[in-house]
Amino acid sequence: MTTSIPTNNVGLAVMTTLRNYGIDAIFGIPGTHNLEFYRHLEPLGIRPVTTRHEQGAGYGSDGWSQLKGLPGVVITTSGPGLLNAMSAAATSYCESRPMIILSPGAPRGSEFSDIGLLHETKDPTGAVRALIGRSTRVASGSEAVELIHEAFAFFAHGRPRPVHIEIPLDVLEGASDVDPSALEARPLGAPKTAADDAVATAAEILGRASTPVILAGGGSLGTGGALLELAELLQAPVVTTINGKGAIPEAHPLSLGSEIRLAAAQDLCNASDALLVIGSKVGESELWGGKIVPQGSCIRIDIDPAQLQCNLAPDVELLGNASAVVPQLLAALAGHEPGPAPELDHLRGELRTEARSMAPVLAQINEILAAVLPSDTVIAGDSSQITYFGTTSFFPVQKPHQLLYTPAYATLGYGLPAAIGAKVADPDRPVVGLIGDGALMFAVQEFITAVEQGVDLPIICVNNGGYGEIRQNMEDRDLAPVGVNLTQPDWVRLAEGFGLTAFNVESLDELAGVVTKALAVKGPSLIHVSIE
Ligand SMILES: Cc1ncc(C[n+]2csc(CCOP(=O)(O)OP(=O)(O)O)c2C)c(N)n1
Ligand SMILES: [Mg+2]
């Protein structure tokens, strides 16, 4: 069948704009309505990663984004494809991560219709807007392109959150109305600084503090070496949220790891005479029921004005991009003489004991992995105990984004596609999935995506016979386990069926050796570790 669709269409304008910002991979599933995005991928040098469910496309794009430092781009078809990606979009919203979702929509004139169109959905942008805020149905190619420029500016200067653009099918397939010069990437400008007087006040408080502490969240990850410099200048211990893991190297003597959810770390923050909170909502999901109630002064840095007061009212608000504000603080503290190094060994010991007591075997698995894996390895975790009782505390990282995880939204099925996305972004970087049996089953179809993408990717499945966390929750309230002890597949045969190399680990003594073998495997591999 020949068609009269112009090749210089709006699909080309949109994809060209994305390519001009450096996007060289997209995650999605082609469908009848989104083909005018797909037509242009190969000519533009954009790699399509076809996952086997759109949720995996969303999480794949998140893993890719974290390693690439660019927003993840998801392309779905209209209706079900878009809705399937919504857990991932809601995750990016909750975790403050940049993502662009492109979908086709009903042609102009048939929006909101109920006439039996393919994938007819009552109000897709209304539904998506309810979840993530930014969802727009455009009326033209120029509007779509403009929204992409706006998205990049927003990711650079706002709290990153997903953006959805719906392009009516007739617009998508129609001739481009966009001037080629409008497709060029626009300069994003310098990160936003905070008001000088607020910086001076903050520097004064921090400069005279005798027990300063830095609490770094996900919003601190762009500060590079400046955060460590500030910590050293103040001799301030740095404790991070899980999203802030690696804000400074965790082997550094001032690092207390990503342990803000532990009572001893919260006590330290609360007792400090000057607490500097950077890019964190200080939310319940990061504090595990604890509270940050500083007895001393509190300073917050955030790019989102609403977050400056969220959960904790500071004495000084520094509204700006942490990557600009931390250097501002350093400049304002020029000449400051660092105080004596804080004595942290005892506290560090307490934190490790507290963390280990939650799940000693999961601590041990992570310690084995930390010893055998290269220090720049990226671990993709999931909402499984092995991640939040294990990797967070017992897999120290050097850099940001070495643990891919969703501590707040906590969706099962994140880890495997995120690992694939990370590996697509940086094929030379060691990436390992470390995932519970329950979580892995939410995304098991993405094994074939990993095979298809040719990624060298060991996935470790920690099998405790089902939904261990929920089983524990039930026990804690005197409920007999119901719906949590799960029938397990033959994991090795399952993985082999998809074309993975698979290993069974019978005892933890074998784990290091098997992981070393898996690291040398071409393509994805599964390591099944039963800890039942
Ligand atoms: C999409 C989704 N559905 C349900 C839950 C509730 N939930 C939280 S943890 C968990 C168990 C996960 O099992 P597994 O990955 O094996 O980890 P384990 O708890 O056994 O360590 C469940 C069902 C969730 N977090 N996300
Ligand atoms: Mg389990």
Side-chain angles (χ1 to χ4, degrees), residues 154-526:
F154 159 65
F155 299 143
H157 300 296
R159 177 185 185 186
R161 289 191 133 164
V163 170
H164 170 229
I165 303 171
E166 176 180 288
I167 309 181
L169 190 57
D170 58 316
V171 173
L172 178 66
E173 298 189 338
S176 174
D177 58 325
V178 196
D179 188 88
S181 66
L183 311 180
E184 291 305 321
R186 296 181 189 158
L188 295 170
K192 194 173 158 229
T193 52
D196 288 334
D197 55 340
V199 171
T201 311
E204 211 260 307
I205 292 170
L206 291 168
R208 71 174 137 78
S210 50
T211 55
V213 175
I214 298 173
L215 168 53
S220 72
L221 295 184
T223 49
L227 182 58
L228 181 56
E229 233 183 284
L230 181 65
E232 285 177 341
L233 182 64
L234 298 171
Q235 282 301 307
V238 178
V239 59
T240 77
T241 66
I242 298 177
N243 269 336
K245 190 170 172 68
I248 70 165
E250 290 188 311
H252 191 278
L254 286 170
S255 171
L256 291 171
S258 56
E259 305 290 37
I260 194 56
R261 69 201 186 290
L262 303 183
Q266 293 166 7
D267 292 347
L268 176 83
C269 290
N270 292 340
S272 151
D273 62 357
L275 175 66
L276 174 62
V277 181
I278 309 177
S280 172
K281 47 195 175 286
V282 213
E284 176 207 55
S285 56
E286 294 273 21
L287 299 179
W288 287 18
K291 279 239 170 338
I292 299 297
V293 223
Q295 284 153 31
S297 303
C298 177
I299 299 157
R300 285 181 83 164
I301 303 176
D302 213 291
I303 196 141
D304 179 352
Q307 291 300 299
L308 279 169
Q309 290 283 337
C310 178
N311 292 319
L312 168 61
D315 301 291
V316 184
E317 295 183 359
L318 299 175
L319 176 64
N321 189 324
S323 61
V325 181
V326 171
Q328 276 183 290
L329 282 173
L330 278 172
L333 282 159
H336 175 79
E337 283 298 322
E343 176 40 69
L344 296 175
D345 289 347
H346 178 73
L347 174 59
R348 202 173 274 119
E350 242 181 282
L351 291 170
R352 293 192 81 72
T353 307
E354 192 179 346
R356 192 181 300 277
S357 70
M358 295 184 210
V361 174
L362 304 183
Q364 191 194 351
I365 290 175
N366 276 280
E367 285 171 333
I368 292 170
L369 295 175
V372 73
L373 291 170
S375 64
D376 63 340
T377 300
V378 173
I379 300 284
D382 213 305
S383 201
S384 312
Q385 293 178 331
I386 185 67
T387 304
Y388 53 81
F389 288 157
T391 311
T392 48
S393 298
F394 297 98
F395 195 94
V397 303
Q398 307 300 310
K399 289 201 181 123
H401 305 294
Q402 269 187 265
L403 171 60
L404 307 177
Y405 178 47
T406 68
Y409 210 60
T411 332
L412 296 170
Y414 171 81
L416 175 55
I420 296 169
K423 203 65 194 175
V424 168
D426 193 350
D428 297 330
R429 186 93 180 263
V431 178
V432 170
L434 181 56
I435 301 169
D437 57 300
L440 192 50
M441 205 51 115
F442 271 70
V444 76
Q445 73 280 4
E446 305 308 349
F447 274 155
I448 203 71
T449 308
V451 172
E452 190 166 88
Q453 294 297 322
V455 289
D456 304 338
L457 175 63
I459 300 291
I460 304 170
C461 171
V462 178
N463 182 354
N464 58 5
Y467 299 147
E469 173 68 17
I470 312 303
R471 183 163 53 211
Q472 188 60 52
N473 295 166
M474 288 175 174
E475 274 172 30
D476 290 348
R477 54 177 74 199
D478 280 334
L479 222 110
V482 47
V484 290
N485 294 327
L486 303 179
T487 304
Q488 299 286 328
D490 180 330
W491 281 97
V492 166
R493 286 179 61 204
L494 173 79
E496 285 174 350
F498 278 112
L500 280 75
T501 306
F503 306 88
N504 220 355
V505 167
E506 307 282 353
S507 130
L508 290 189
D509 300 340
E510 302 167 16
L511 182 59
V514 171
V515 169
T516 305
K517 265 195 229 160
L519 283 174
V521 164
K522 274 267 146 242
S525 54
L526 175 80

Side-chain angles (χ1 to χ4, degrees), residues 5-56:
I5 290 171
T7 46
N8 182 16
N9 57 26
V10 166
L12 177 61
V14 166
M15 295 319 299
T16 304
T17 311
L18 288 167
R19 187 70 187 93
N20 288 342
Y21 279 101
I23 300 298
D24 62 5
I26 59 95
F27 295 77
I29 299 186
T32 311
H33 290 162
N34 65 13
L35 300 178
E36 294 310 317
F37 294 123
Y38 274 84
R39 180 191 296 278
H40 309 294
L41 298 181
E42 201 195 322
L44 288 170
I46 301 176
R47 171 176 176 173
V49 179
T50 298
T51 52
R52 297 307 195 261
H53 187 285
E54 286 87 354
Q55 179 168 308

